Amino acid sequence: MKITAAVLHEPRGAFKVEDVELDAPRPHEVLVKIVATGICHTDLAVRDQHLPLGLPAVLGHEGSGIVEAVGSSVTRVKPGDHVVLTPASCGECDFCVSGHPSYCEKFSVLNMQGHREDGSCAHHQHGQDLQGLFLYQSSFGSYAIATERNTIKVPTDIPLEILGPLGCGLQTGAGSVLNVLRPQAGESIAVYGTGPVGLAGIMAAKVAGCSVIVAVDINDQRLELARELGATHTVNSRNQSSADYIREHIMPAGLHYTFSTVGRNEVVAEAFKAMRYMGRCVEVGVGTSANLEIPHSLFRMGKSITYAIEGDSVPEVFIPRLIQLYRKGRFPFDKLIKFYDLDQINQAVEDSEKGVTLKAILRMPH
Ligand SMILES: [Zn+2]
Ligand SMILES: [Zn+2]
């Protein structure tokens, strides 16, 4: 079928909104009419080719929409269902069956190759294949092909156009706290970086009942928003060591947990310095430091770090849970959102990179 999609033709280039041909769904696939899609840092990492994917390509991986058609073996969703798309997983490997589909053995094969496992592409243009099926969706288009497993049914009483980022960025932030660190009520945490992922982590820390939630960033405006969303303290680390400040003014013995969304050595070192003995750090950033280096002196006394993917969540359980919290006013992620039309995608990207917009969501033309 003919769809409208934003196509990336060259590394670091602009997205171009063009006509594209999309396959019909295969037996295990689902055709989704995309209503809206978030822009996530990972889309831009591919644009800049920090993550390898062939070009030209259709990207986008925070799609929400309505099921249009399903393949012959699909049973979990049906036409008309409201859905959020999330990364695909196989459902059969050790990690999937033990409740950790983000670490699926086939994660890269299913999500990051630009085509199906058998090598076929779902997107075509002028008789040529386009790379797509990014995170098994490529939601920068008016329709997308996904699989049954990464199509998550959501309630119909919440505006569908705000829900897409639950499938990646917000799930990553909230899950890193609620599923990975699992703080107890009354414990303490610092969150480094107050983009959408970090802010989701701050909201989650508040949900968990953390008594000290420190937001660390170099942008005062974002720190203000962090406070509105649950941070009990904020530290602007532009001209000072956040760890020194935390030790001197907030928690002299150090924090139980740290959550870094930044992906830089100096930030992880600060996080380790700010933690008490046996403190645990989770990192999710795709940053500028090629190797993670932590000074040995900071790594002692039972402290640990893990890198988490997608908040180690089971999306069909976790996304509805986040929606439930949103309903109760306890996960007000709509405060991060700014809407753009698909043909404003390059403006949305620019605003996201400048930090003018926290979470850009593109509305599809229908
Ligand atoms: Zn698997
Ligand atoms: Zn993402």
Side-chain angles (χ1 to χ4, degrees):
M1 67 186 292
K2 199 168 97 173
I3 68 166
T4 304
V7 182
L8 179 68
H9 288 272
E10 53 195 50
R12 292 173 296 282
F15 293 91
K16 293 189 174 151
V17 176
E18 297 171 340
D19 289 344
V20 168
E21 276 295 319
L22 183 66
D23 284 0
R26 294 197 175 174
H28 71 293
E29 289 179 340
V30 178
L31 176 67
V32 179
K33 180 180 182 179
I34 299 293
V35 169
T37 182
I39 295 177
C40 174
H41 185 71
T42 309
D43 296 308
L44 307 181
V46 171
R47 178 201 61 183
D48 298 341
Q49 296 282 290
H50 297 144
L51 288 172
L53 190 90
L55 300 179
V58 180
L59 305 177
H61 66 282
E62 287 187 341
S64 62
I66 300 169
V67 175
E68 179 85 5
V70 298
S72 55
S73 67
V74 170
T75 58
R76 290 203 325 196
V77 290
K78 59 182 189 312
D81 283 350
H82 285 203
V83 295
V84 164
L85 302 179
T86 194
S89 56
C90 78
E92 289 168 6
C93 71
D94 277 7
F95 300 95
C96 282
V97 297
S98 60
H100 303 283
S102 305
Y103 304 113
C104 174
E105 285 174 4
K106 285 192 171 175
F107 190 93
S108 295
V109 171
L110 293 172
N111 292 303
M112 305 298 291
Q113 295 210 116
H115 50 73
R116 297 185 183 88
E117 256 187 290
D118 67 4
S120 64
C121 288
H123 296 77
H124 317 275
Q125 193 179 42
H126 315 308
Q128 306 279 322
D129 283 341
L130 284 182
Q131 302 299 300
L133 298 180
F134 183 52
L135 280 306
Y136 221 121
Q137 52 181 288
S138 289
S139 52
F140 288 169
S142 52
Y143 290 81
I145 291 281
T147 72
E148 175 168 35
R149 276 189 57 81
N150 68 323
T151 302
I152 310 300
K153 193 173 165 178
V154 294
T156 53
D157 63 320
I158 309 267
L160 193 46
E161 60 185 15
I162 68 171
L163 296 180
L166 293 174
C168 184
L170 299 173
Q171 157 175 279
T172 296
S176 295
V177 173
L178 294 174
N179 301 326
V180 182
L181 295 175
R182 295 176 170 262
Q184 301 293 304
E187 289 189 323
S188 55
I189 187 170
V191 177
Y192 297 79
T194 53
V197 175
L199 290 170
I202 286 168
M203 289 186 271
K206 187 178 176 192
V207 165
C210 288
S211 57
V212 172
I213 304 169
V214 187
V216 183
D217 203 311
I218 54 172
N219 179 328
D220 280 326
Q221 225 175 334
R222 287 194 181 196
L223 288 172
E224 215 168 285
L225 180 60
R227 208 176 261 275
E228 209 179 295
L229 295 174
T232 58
H233 303 76
T234 56
V235 182
N236 188 321
S237 56
R238 187 183 286 280
N239 296 316
Q240 64 182 335
S241 155
S242 57
D244 289 350
Y245 185 89
I246 288 165
R247 292 275 187 175
E248 275 167 39
H249 299 282
I250 304 172
M251 290 286 277
L255 302 159
H256 292 85
Y257 306 101
T258 53
F259 173 27
S260 165
T261 65
V262 183
R264 293 166 67 114
N265 281 325
E266 56 272 29
V267 173
V268 173
E270 283 290 299
F272 264 69
K273 230 198 267 183
M275 286 197 296
R276 61 197 256 154
Y277 297 163
M278 298 188 73
R280 285 162 54 216
C281 174
V282 62
E283 168 70 63
V284 300
V286 185
T288 48
S289 300
N291 298 306
L292 179 63
E293 288 166 17
I294 303 164
H296 197 261
S297 60
L298 296 177
F299 204 54
R300 292 181 190 138
M301 305 308 286
K303 295 184 188 182
S304 61
I305 182 168
T306 187
Y307 192 99
I309 301 283
E310 298 291 337
D312 191 17
S313 73
V314 178
E316 46 277 73
V317 175
F318 196 59
I319 290 174
R321 213 181 267 175
L322 293 177
I323 290 173
Q324 198 54 20
L325 288 166
Y326 169 76
R327 266 205 192 97
K328 300 279 178 201
R330 299 180 67 195
F331 191 68
F333 66 92
D334 54 331
K335 289 190 177 164
L336 316 184
I337 291 170
K338 184 172 175 197
F339 287 105
Y340 298 82
D341 291 331
L342 178 64
D343 59 13
Q344 298 173 297
I345 182 170
N346 294 306
Q347 186 65 50
V349 166
E350 191 186 322
D351 290 354
S352 303
E353 292 190 304
K354 278 189 188 151
V356 179
T357 297
L358 276 163
K359 175 52 77 179
I361 292 189
L362 304 170
R363 286 187 173 117
M364 291 302 142
H366 281 295

